[in-house]
Amino acid sequence: MIFNRKEKFGWLLKEIEMIAARKSGRDEKLEDICQLLTTHVPYYDWVGFYIVDQVVKNELYLGPFVGEPTEHKRIQFGHGICGQAAERKKTFIIQDVTKEKNYLACSSKVLAEIVVPIFKGEKVVGELDIDSHQFSPFGSEDEQFLEAACDELSKIF
Ligand code: SME
């Protein structure tokens, strides 16, 4: 079956908006979004959220995720792809993690990664992290979709 990104991402964004509008707690919503994305996008193999610690300065902790467990439960700003995205306040797309020096490996199966910050005003409050078991899986459609999703999620932080 052909994977039509434009169509699928349009539908997924509406689903994410509906999940965000529910009455449940933040982490329950984030967990449902991880489940939704891993189920419906064949090359999203690990989907999770890192949350900015409000007490320990410049540190992220692992929030809800779907996929293999990771040893990286806390990440300092600047460390790995997640830490760099938080520090530089921008989306990072790594199409081949084997070529990346500042990268924290979770599993040898992971070949590519995209990390999208979630903002509250100017501040990064969390991020969406997606690992893929394929090389170069992410296109500009993924970036636009995930940034729109994170804009929506800003409301629940
Ligand atoms: N690879 C990430 C660490 C988190 S795991 O992908 C779940 C990084 O380099 O920041």
Side-chain angles (χ1 to χ4, degrees):
M1 209 175 67
I2 294 168
F3 182 78
N4 182 331
R5 292 192 202 211
K6 223 174 161 196
E7 213 172 273
K8 187 56 80 81
F9 290 158
W11 176 79
L12 283 170
L13 193 55
K14 290 205 180 77
E15 291 291 310
I16 288 171
E17 284 166 8
M18 282 198 295
I19 293 172
R22 283 186 198 154
K23 282 209 164 70
S24 51
R26 182 194 73 188
D27 284 1
E28 211 177 309
K29 293 176 189 180
L30 296 182
E31 167 110 42
D32 287 349
I33 289 164
C34 294
Q35 201 66 61
L36 179 80
L37 292 178
T38 47
T39 305
H40 292 282
V41 187
Y43 53 94
Y44 289 2
D45 295 293
W46 190 98
V47 177
F49 289 90
Y50 279 92
I51 318 287
V52 174
D53 198 315
Q54 297 303 326
V55 181
V56 183
K57 212 169 171 255
N58 295 338
E59 212 166 279
L60 299 149
Y61 66 88
L62 182 62
F65 69 94
V66 168
E68 283 180 32
T70 171
E71 64 185 276
H72 302 296
K73 296 197 169 51
R74 296 195 73 92
I75 298 175
Q76 284 178 358
F77 279 28
H79 290 202
I81 312 303
C82 292
Q84 291 179 80
E87 190 174 66
R88 304 268 303 276
K89 299 185 173 186
K90 67 179 194 86
T91 298
F92 269 65
I93 301 177
I94 310 297
Q95 304 283 21
D96 177 354
V97 297
T98 66
K99 297 205 174 106
E100 188 60 35
K101 285 191 186 76
N102 191 356
Y103 167 71
L104 304 167
C106 290
S107 151
S108 57
K109 286 191 215 144
V110 175
L111 302 178
E113 176 166 14
I114 182 167
V115 180
V116 182
I118 301 168
F119 292 93
K120 200 87 191 164
E122 299 281 294
K123 268 185 145 180
V124 176
V125 287
E127 44 188 44
L128 172 56
D129 178 17
I130 300 178
D131 289 339
S132 179
H133 295 171
Q134 297 178 26
F135 284 122
S136 300
F138 306 117
S140 54
E141 301 96 330
D142 295 77
E143 186 177 0
Q144 280 167 26
F145 159 56
L146 296 169
E147 286 182 351
C150 285
D151 261 359
E152 182 61 32
L153 294 177
S154 165
K155 293 180 195 159
I156 67 169
F157 272 78

